[in-house]
Amino acid sequence: MATNVLQLPEEEYILPGTRSCSGCGLALAYRHILKALGQKTILTIPASCLTVLHGLYPSTSVKLSNINTAFATTAASASGIVAALKALGKTDFTVVGVAGDGGTYDIGIQALSAAAERNTDFIYICYDNEGYMNTGTQRSSATPMGAFTTTTPTTKLEHKKDMLAIMEAHGIPYIASASAAYPLDLYDKVKKAKTIRGTRFILVNVPCSPGWGFPTRDVVKLGKLAIDTAMCVLHEVEDGVFRLTGRSRAMARSSKKKPVADYLKMQGRFRHIDAEHIDLLQEWLDQRWTRYVARHQLCEGGAEASKAGE
């Protein structure tokens, strides 16, 4: 059963006064991620916006144990922590690596792939703000086509990398996508991931006001519009079984999806995108959405047939 807001733990693991930007989607998502993880958690994070949120030693705004690691080594660090806990005979901690899209899609993918191949027992959470946002808004391979960044001043020409498909190809037991705009869905997915052993991967869409160019008050509105246009699709893959979740599942049932132009026009980074590239992006989204819905219906039909045969 889905968690409602009254059922969320009262314990807060982020103290007031973080160093994150005003209206940061990551801060909203991280608050609920930590509520789901609880006290018995060891975090490891690379250089990133999240390092900024945590603060400068000896002060921090986060009440959980954390190791700051090098940009490429989040999964390697998490693997080492898992091995150390095993050597000490400690079995009641959850090890969690949290990195941005730059530290996951680009720089950290080698260590993550190696750990996933071994099915090392940790949760890896990638918060996707679609660029290197704390170092000057450079392009990453998660940046969508048509977006302006400081390293794509004439807009990016390639579609974003399908990191979820790459992780699924490793055959790990749990994969999910979530959004800062739907924190209860995110909370439930992290709670579920805690109950599963092996490598678990969760990708979280986090709108970034300074990097994307929208008013801070619109962070949730834009996050929801990302779902409504299928720029971000909420789903899970559990032991190979795919299913849409939350708002994306409701959209599949109603066959309603908003045009991507509604999403683009709210952001300064798409100010210079032309009609041709909007059409190309819409076509790419439509094709991808069709595949998601078809796969959901196939798995859902299989599950119902399995129940009928019991």
Side-chain angles (χ1 to χ4, degrees):
M1 183 178 293
T3 301
N4 66 55
V5 69
L6 297 177
Q7 295 171 318
L8 284 175
E10 293 187 8
E11 178 83 38
E12 298 287 353
Y13 296 99
I14 302 180
L15 302 170
T18 75
R19 294 166 60 89
S20 62
C21 301
S22 174
C24 176
L26 170 59
L28 175 61
Y30 199 48
R31 178 189 177 203
H32 292 84
I33 288 169
L34 297 188
K35 278 180 177 287
L37 291 171
Q39 187 67 44
K40 288 282 190 177
T41 300
I42 299 177
L43 301 162
T44 180
I45 62 172
S48 60
C49 294
L50 189 53
T51 311
V52 178
L53 184 150
H54 270 250
L56 294 173
Y57 180 84
S59 300
T60 182
S61 57
V62 178
K63 297 193 297 181
L64 290 175
S65 299
N66 170 65
I67 296 173
N68 286 328
T69 190
F71 217 156
T73 61
T74 308
S77 173
S79 297
I81 298 168
V82 169
L85 290 172
K86 183 178 180 181
L88 293 170
K90 295 182 180 295
T91 59
D92 54 347
F93 282 90
T94 303
V95 178
V96 184
V98 189
D101 50 288
T104 303
Y105 285 62
D106 299 336
I107 300 173
I109 192 170
Q110 180 272 335
L112 176 58
S113 178
E117 183 205 4
R118 298 188 301 267
N119 199 27
T120 305
D121 187 22
F122 63 73
I123 301 173
Y124 190 104
I125 298 174
C126 172
Y127 61 92
D128 183 8
N129 56 19
E130 302 183 333
Y132 294 81
M133 294 309 182
N134 75 321
T135 55
T137 321
Q138 296 93 348
R139 161 213 200 274
S140 81
S141 55
T143 304
M145 190 197 72
F148 165 86
T149 71
T150 51
T151 48
T152 55
T154 57
T155 72
K156 188 183 179 222
L157 301 178
E158 304 82 13
H159 291 297
K160 66 186 298 177
K161 186 186 291 180
D162 191 346
M163 194 66 201
L164 289 160
I166 292 170
M167 293 309 298
E168 186 177 357
H170 288 78
I172 59 177
Y174 185 72
I175 297 164
S177 69
S179 166
Y182 289 96
L184 296 178
D185 177 76
L186 170 61
Y187 174 87
D188 283 340
K189 286 170 176 168
V190 176
K191 287 284 286 186
K192 177 184 284 188
K194 272 192 69 174
T195 68
I196 298 170
R197 300 275 69 85
T199 305
R200 295 138 280 166
F201 180 82
I202 300 175
L203 181 65
V204 188
N205 179 266
V206 291
C208 170
S209 174
W212 297 9
F214 64 87
T216 56
R217 64 177 181 274
D218 289 339
V219 61
V220 172
K221 180 179 181 181
L222 192 63
K224 289 186 174 181
L225 198 52
I227 308 300
D228 288 347
T229 56
M231 285 291 288
C232 173
V233 178
L234 302 175
H235 69 277
E236 293 176 314
V237 183
E238 189 173 357
D239 292 328
V241 178
F242 177 98
R243 72 183 190 100
L244 295 172
T245 63
R247 175 65 181 165
S248 295
R249 186 186 182 106
M251 287 167 54
R253 286 174 172 168
S254 66
S255 300
K256 291 182 179 178
K257 181 166 66 66
K258 292 183 178 178
V260 73
D262 291 359
Y263 176 76
L264 303 180
K265 67 185 180 184
M266 287 184 63
Q267 303 171 63
R269 63 177 175 159
F270 292 110
R271 186 175 300 130
H272 303 295
I273 190 172
D274 58 31
E276 179 185 0
H277 284 94
I278 293 175
D279 290 343
L280 286 172
L281 186 56
Q282 185 66 67
E283 181 182 1
W284 180 77
L285 287 171
D286 290 345
Q287 292 175 353
R288 190 179 71 157
W289 175 246
T290 298
R291 292 195 296 271
Y292 273 128
V293 173
R295 191 176 177 196
H296 171 75
Q297 291 172 339
L298 182 65
C299 289
E300 197 171 52
E304 290 178 357
S306 177
K307 288 180 181 178
E310 290 177 353

